[in-house]
Amino acid sequence: MVDVSDVNYAVGGRPIFKGLTLTARRGRITAIMGPSGTGKTTLLRLITAQITADAGTVRVFGENVATLGSAAIYGLRRRMGMLFQNGALLTDLTVFENVAFPVREHTDLPEPLIRKLVLTKLQAVGLRGAAELMPSELSGGMARRVALARAIVMDPEVLVYDEPFVGLDPISLGVILRLIKQMNDALGITSIVVSHDVQELSTIADDSYLLSAGAVAAAGAPAQLRASDSPAVRQFMTGSAEGPVAFHYPAPDYVTQLLADD
Amino acid sequence: MTNGYMGEGIRRLGATAIFLGRLALQCVPACARPRLIVAQIYNTGARSLIIIMLSGLFVGMVLGLQGYDLLRRFGSEDVLGTAAALGLLRELGPVITALLFAGRAGTALTSEIGLMRATDQLTAMEIMAVDPLRYVAAPRFLGAIIAVPLLTAIFAIVGLFGAQLIGVQLMGIDPGAFWSQTQDAVELRDVREGLTKSLVFGIACALVAVYEGYNSEPTAAGVGLATTRTVVASSVLILLLDYVITAAFL
């Protein structure tokens, strides 16, 4: 469904990806993990064609996104859904209208049908009762569930999640985790989940990739990743401060700097 | 250093022109959703009514006082109505309305769109295959362009009432003379000048506000900076265009 091959991408001369290659297969949950700053969100922007790679190809539904015009990209996006870190709900619309938004924009369905469709999706995330609330009245977890309902309302083939677990309490986190699994199993959606919450993600992912220094450091089922003997992979999977990823940001010698003024 | 500033200025001018072109293209499909435009006319126009009317009243009253004092020296108090009407229609109405609009509604537009950018709402729309230029920017742009001439007309009317309040009610000018002089002196040309100005100012204000919001840095400081830039750029642009249009009409 989604093929990223040999992608290079740099921002302001700083390379983010160097020869990145990964694949998300149809109907599976693909986890993309990695420490902060490894370009996980940038990867999602590449997949959703918000940016184009400097080199290499990104194929979605078999089409090279770099060669598509804006109309074709919009056509592609209508077959995808994306869940943003903060939900990105439209703040001037109610929960109901937020979920109805893509339907109203892209179809001419009659109002009663839109109503049924939206209520079904809200029921799926357990928030049918919150339909008339404004986004400002929702908790973080609820906002993310509404955003999930909005992302699936057009029945996408691919659903992309950007850090879906950040800042959630354990209960909300469990709910979102279950929903991702449910969406995948019940609707056959291909899911790509970007996150650094290794433990949570390992429980639902079919395939996982660990990004480090702009490329895939390890790939395979979550269990395989845990069994890896690469120091970088081990450090990330166990959450250790010791390892190839240094705790300290590069700095001059500590003692020299402290004593410099004397 | 000057070179850098110049280069940056030219770059911004070009970017704004390209933005205007893209925005204008999206204004056509945006007209298919009159509901969104009406909502924006309410948001920017109707909500600015109080400040516009209040300012109009006081500007008119000051015109009445100053004008009366000046005209009395030549013994021609009767033409106060003419002076006030022409001043309001051709100059003060469009300029002050546009300046107030930039401060009241332009900043609101910029910070609203900037915050939508900062909270990923615009990106979310793009991912949902909805062009934010069409859904967010174009209705606000059109709404503001419609609102400014209407507000200008209201400003001028309230201002004239204010001048009348001072001239006729307070200073005792004959109301018949006041109104008939006004009616005789004001020509369609004057109204057209005011209307042209308000339309051009409306486009300038709306463009600056929407552009700054749409292109603001997605941070708290970035949105603040964009809001400030909206006021500064709109104000300078209004006064500059005012000179150009006035010169063109004379």
Side-chain angles (χ1 to χ4, degrees):
Chain A
M1 287 301 254
V2 177
D3 267 300
V4 176
S5 75
D6 212 12
V7 160
N8 287 3
Y9 184 75
V11 175
R14 194 173 73 91
I16 309 265
F17 296 129
K18 288 174 292 192
L20 180 75
T21 300
L22 53 83
T23 306
R25 286 181 288 168
R26 183 183 294 272
R28 294 170 75 91
I29 299 179
T30 304
I32 295 166
M33 301 183 281
S36 309
T38 44
K40 298 190 297 291
T41 302
T42 311
L43 176 62
L44 294 189
R45 296 182 64 200
L46 280 168
I47 293 173
T48 51
Q50 295 174 59
I51 51 176
T52 46
D54 298 337
T57 53
V58 177
R59 287 180 182 279
V60 181
F61 307 122
E63 306 214 49
N64 184 350
V65 295
T67 62
L68 298 177
S70 61
I73 286 178
Y74 271 15
L76 205 70
R77 287 183 184 159
R78 290 171 71 160
R79 299 164 64 189
M80 310 171 86
M82 177 162 176
L83 184 71
F84 285 82
Q85 227 177 89
N86 54 15
L89 296 175
L90 308 179
T91 37
D92 53 349
L93 300 179
T94 62
V95 164
F96 183 93
E97 286 302 322
N98 259 288
V99 179
F101 179 78
V103 189
R104 290 196 201 284
E105 287 298 309
H106 293 309
T107 70
D108 288 320
L109 293 181
E111 191 57 38
L113 202 58
I114 294 181
R115 217 182 101 77
K116 284 202 183 73
L117 189 62
V118 171
L119 289 180
T120 321
K121 301 298 178 187
L122 281 175
Q123 172 74 13
V125 297
L127 290 175
R128 189 166 41 86
E132 293 313 315
L133 296 183
M134 293 305 285
S136 55
E137 299 171 276
L138 303 176
S139 71
M142 285 163 83
R144 230 165 284 183
R145 280 149 71 190
V146 173
L148 185 57
R150 185 179 66 179
I152 58 170
V153 75
M154 295 294 286
D155 293 323
E157 296 162 53
V158 172
L159 198 46
V160 176
Y161 301 85
D162 187 7
E163 300 278 8
F165 312 119
V166 165
L168 292 186
D169 63 83
I171 300 172
S172 306
L173 196 152
V175 170
I176 296 281
L177 203 60
R178 250 201 328 279
L179 280 173
I180 295 177
K181 183 74 180 151
Q182 255 173 31
M183 297 298 158
N184 196 76
D185 293 349
L187 306 175
I189 297 176
T190 305
S191 312
I192 302 173
V193 188
V194 154
S195 176
H196 49 239
D197 291 284
V198 184
Q199 304 308 331
E200 287 77 17
L201 211 44
S202 317
T203 59
I204 56 164
D206 298 310
D207 306 305
S208 44
Y209 290 92
L210 179 60
L211 300 190
S212 174
V216 173
Q224 281 173 291
L225 248 57
R226 262 197 300 272
S228 166
D229 48 10
S230 145
V233 179
R234 287 190 71 84
Q235 183 191 5
F236 184 73
M237 298 304 280
T238 57
S240 161
E242 302 290 322
V245 180
F247 166 67
H248 286 290
Y249 193 82
D253 184 63
Y254 188 37
V255 177
T256 322
Q257 194 175 22
L258 276 183
L259 300 178
D261 289 337
D262 299 335
Chain B
M1 200 62 194
T2 329
N3 222 344
Y5 275 128
M6 283 269 288
E8 174 65 14
I10 291 167
R11 193 196 64 77
R12 288 184 72 87
L13 203 63
T16 314
I18 293 169
F19 183 81
L20 177 62
R22 288 174 56 207
L23 188 59
L25 277 181
Q26 293 302 329
C27 281
V28 181
C31 289
R33 287 187 187 69
R35 200 174 43 85
L36 288 179
I37 300 175
V38 170
Q40 290 308 324
I41 296 175
Y42 173 77
N43 244 341
T44 53
R47 290 194 169 165
S48 306
L49 264 180
I50 291 185
I51 177 177
I52 293 290
M53 291 172 76
L54 209 60
S55 309
L57 182 68
F58 283 111
V59 167
M61 285 164 69
V62 170
L63 262 183
L65 280 178
Q66 295 277 22
Y68 182 83
D69 182 55
L70 187 71
L71 293 169
R72 202 186 41 179
R73 297 181 199 181
F74 306 102
S76 43
E77 303 95 303
D78 288 356
V79 293
L80 177 65
T82 309
L86 289 184
L88 283 166
L89 273 176
R90 290 168 53 167
E91 198 58 43
L92 292 169
V95 172
I96 297 183
T97 304
L99 288 174
L100 289 171
F101 186 85
R104 164 67 182 78
T107 51
L109 282 181
T110 302
S111 54
E112 185 191 12
I113 300 176
L115 278 173
M116 290 175 92
R117 162 78 64 208
T119 52
D120 283 336
Q121 293 183 48
L122 299 183
T123 317
M125 277 185 204
E126 276 174 24
I127 300 289
M128 289 187 278
V130 174
D131 191 341
L133 270 180
R134 178 164 55 83
Y135 188 84
V136 174
R140 284 166 173 76
F141 182 65
L142 290 173
I145 292 176
I146 296 170
V148 174
L150 293 176
L151 290 173
T152 304
I154 292 169
F155 183 97
I157 291 167
V158 176
L160 195 56
F161 173 78
Q164 178 272 152
L165 211 60
I166 298 297
V168 175
Q169 314 292 337
L170 196 68
M171 301 303 185
I173 301 175
D174 178 58
F178 183 94
W179 289 116
S180 68
Q181 293 266 14
T182 307
Q183 198 181 4
D184 283 348
V186 176
E187 294 171 19
L188 190 62
R189 205 178 66 95
D190 304 312
V191 179
R192 206 158 47 215
E193 181 178 345
L195 194 67
T196 309
K197 280 185 179 175
S198 66
L199 204 62
V200 173
F201 296 166
I203 294 173
C205 280
L207 176 65
V208 169
V210 173
Y211 173 83
E212 288 295 349
Y214 204 79
N215 294 290
S216 68
E217 284 278 318
T219 58
V223 175
L225 188 67
T227 312
T228 309
R229 270 212 294 257
T230 294
V231 179
V232 175
S234 309
S235 307
V236 173
L237 212 54
I238 288 163
L239 297 173
L240 189 146
L241 287 170
D242 185 41
Y243 175 79
V244 174
I245 301 173
T246 307
F249 264 89
L250 281 178

